[in-house]
Amino acid sequence: MLVLGIETSCDETGVALCDSEQGLLGHLVHSQIDIHAEYGGVVPELASRDHVRKTLPLIEQLLKQTGIEKQQIDGVAYTAGPGLVGALLVGAAIGRSLAWAWQVPAVGVHHMEGHLLAPMLEESSPNFPFVALLVSGGHTQLIAVQGVGEYTLLGESVDDAAGEAFDKTAKLLGLPYPGGPELARLAESGDPERFTFPRPMTDRPGLDFSFSGLKTFALNTWQSEKAAVDDEAALRQLQTDIARAFEDAVVDTLVIKCRRAIKQAEAKTLVLAGGVSANKRLRQRIQEVLAKEGGQAYYPRPEFCTDNGAMIAYAGLQRLLADQQEPLRFAAKPRWPMTELAAVNIG
Ligand code: KG4
Ligand code: ZN
């Protein structure tokens, strides 16, 4: 079965073709960074308009590039939520309409399920059951995964998501949008000894997270230390050292909770996914900890950590193979708990 996947939930247009026998045949991502950069964050209306402009040409380009004819496509998967409603509606309307025109089934995919299953696109992929840490711009969740669609929420952020905290901290340090990757790049040359930030909610039992206080801690440090700095180089160093302290605190907190979660779930396998899983220090620390405990960590290649069409095509393929599909009516769900999804029995 050959599935076209369409992702338009936020500020990237992603399209991909995934086949049940041959795997991923191709994918394309168009990033809206240039559009939103001057506003310092995603402007929802501009995001929707750009998806309207880019989605169909990107699909045409993908078909041309892979040499696939539209008659060969057996199903269409589009991101149905969660995300920005206008942005979601573009992909959902295009995906549902193409499926109708081609007389093939369509399925609305949960964006975070897409992220969660993205490591399955790699050659070395995890087996069920496992614990997943989903860390993106909108979510920070620990989930016990028994199979596709069989998810138990173990813990989540009570306020900001980890990616959101990265972005907000980057912004207050004066770094350009998109802040998270920029802050991570800066942190690489930071002095880990200069500042120590708190590891929120690690001193009590449980698997929930809180990252909003960390952002305030960064702001207070930045403002109080900045006053004593009188040249550009020292200011840049201060920014770099705060970035390092912030990243270390987030990574440490995530690692501590991941260890707890795999113990609690009696799991040996941990999957990292979502935009923040592109973070080098997080990947490295999780790998080390799991290796020490006789377990194994899996994560997608960096381009499949952030939003892309490949993960949507893959997740949609699993559901279409299990004969799950939408009627002609379609919906966009800006909020959509992943635990509401139906199980998929595979193999
Ligand atoms: O999964 P994603 O592309 O979109 C959402 O579903 O939210 O995640 C985007 C988030 C942003 O907050 C971005 O700052 C963060 O992932 N991110 C990173 C890195 N790359 C992306 N955060 C820390 N380090 C990175 N290298
Ligand atoms: Zn995402």
Side-chain angles (χ1 to χ4, degrees):
M1 178 184 267
L2 176 59
V3 171
L4 168 69
I6 304 171
E7 155 63 32
T8 65
S9 69
C10 190
D11 57 349
E12 262 112 16
T13 314
V15 298
L17 285 164
C18 192
D19 182 75
S20 50
E21 307 301 318
Q22 298 173 64
L24 187 67
L25 301 185
H27 87 107
L28 291 169
V29 177
H30 163 73
S31 163
Q32 300 180 353
I33 286 180
D34 295 346
I35 293 173
H36 303 294
E38 66 175 294
Y39 302 96
V42 179
V43 182
E45 176 62 15
L46 296 185
S48 309
R49 289 185 205 175
D50 199 57
H51 289 307
V52 170
R53 275 192 296 270
K54 296 290 164 33
T55 309
L56 277 172
L58 213 56
I59 293 170
E60 279 166 359
Q61 192 185 335
L62 180 69
L63 292 177
K64 211 169 185 187
Q65 184 177 301
T66 53
I68 298 286
E69 301 289 336
K70 52 184 187 285
Q71 293 81 357
Q72 293 172 259
I73 294 172
D74 302 304
V76 179
Y78 55 85
T79 305
L84 303 171
V85 74
L88 289 166
L89 278 170
V90 178
I94 291 176
R96 193 66 199 82
S97 306
L98 286 177
W100 179 77
W102 295 340
Q103 293 294 297
V104 295
V107 66
V109 171
H110 192 291
H111 180 81
M112 297 312 292
E113 178 172 75
H115 276 305
L116 191 149
L117 297 177
M120 301 294 188
L121 289 161
E122 304 305 329
E123 214 162 281
S124 156
S125 61
N127 292 317
F128 300 113
F130 54 76
V131 168
L133 173 69
L134 295 183
V135 266
S136 71
H139 293 78
T140 301
Q141 296 182 322
L142 275 163
I143 295 173
V145 180
Q146 297 298 324
V148 179
E150 296 178 62
Y151 309 129
T152 309
L153 183 66
L154 301 174
E156 65 184 333
S157 179
V158 297
D159 42 53
D160 291 353
E164 187 180 359
F166 261 94
D167 295 337
K168 287 179 176 170
T169 303
K171 200 169 182 177
L172 68 87
L173 289 176
L175 301 178
Y177 162 88
E182 191 62 30
L183 188 147
R185 229 184 331 270
L186 203 61
E188 279 178 36
S189 46
D191 173 3
E193 310 293 334
R194 182 161 172 198
F195 303 111
T196 303
F197 283 20
R199 274 57 175 157
M201 294 180 75
T202 53
D203 57 350
R204 64 190 95 162
L207 295 170
D208 285 340
F209 305 90
S210 165
F211 290 113
S212 74
L214 216 44
K215 165 196 71 195
T216 314
F217 201 91
L219 178 64
N220 292 341
T221 310
W222 174 237
Q223 285 176 337
S224 63
E225 297 282 327
K226 207 164 56 164
V229 169
D230 48 16
D231 69 278
E232 270 303 308
L235 195 66
R236 188 70 179 162
Q237 194 56 51
L238 174 63
Q239 205 180 27
T240 306
D241 295 340
I242 291 176
R244 177 61 193 262
F246 172 83
E247 184 183 72
D248 279 348
V250 173
V251 168
D252 239 20
T253 305
L254 293 172
V255 169
I256 290 168
K257 298 279 166 137
C258 281
R259 284 183 74 177
R260 262 187 218 171
I262 55 172
K263 269 207 186 97
Q264 183 181 313
E266 295 177 4
K268 285 266 172 241
T269 307
L270 183 82
V271 161
L272 260 183
V276 183
S277 68
N279 185 277
K280 282 190 209 149
R281 206 177 308 277
L282 177 62
R283 291 162 84 99
Q284 188 192 335
R285 288 282 318 282
I286 289 280
Q287 193 71 274
E288 283 165 13
V289 165
L290 266 285
K292 223 182 260 170
E293 301 196 355
Q296 181 134 20
Y298 293 86
Y299 29 74
R301 72 193 83 166
E303 65 181 313
F304 291 162
C305 288
T306 46
D307 293 348
N308 64 87
M311 66 184 196
I312 302 304
Y314 180 84
L317 173 63
Q318 306 316 306
R319 292 195 171 269
L320 289 168
L321 283 172
D323 228 10
Q324 294 182 11
Q325 49 180 280
E326 314 293 333
L328 275 179
R329 151 180 64 76
F330 67 87
K333 304 175 188 173
R335 289 181 186 278
W336 186 10
M338 205 163 75
T339 44
E340 283 179 4
L341 297 179
V344 170
N345 299 312
I346 39 173

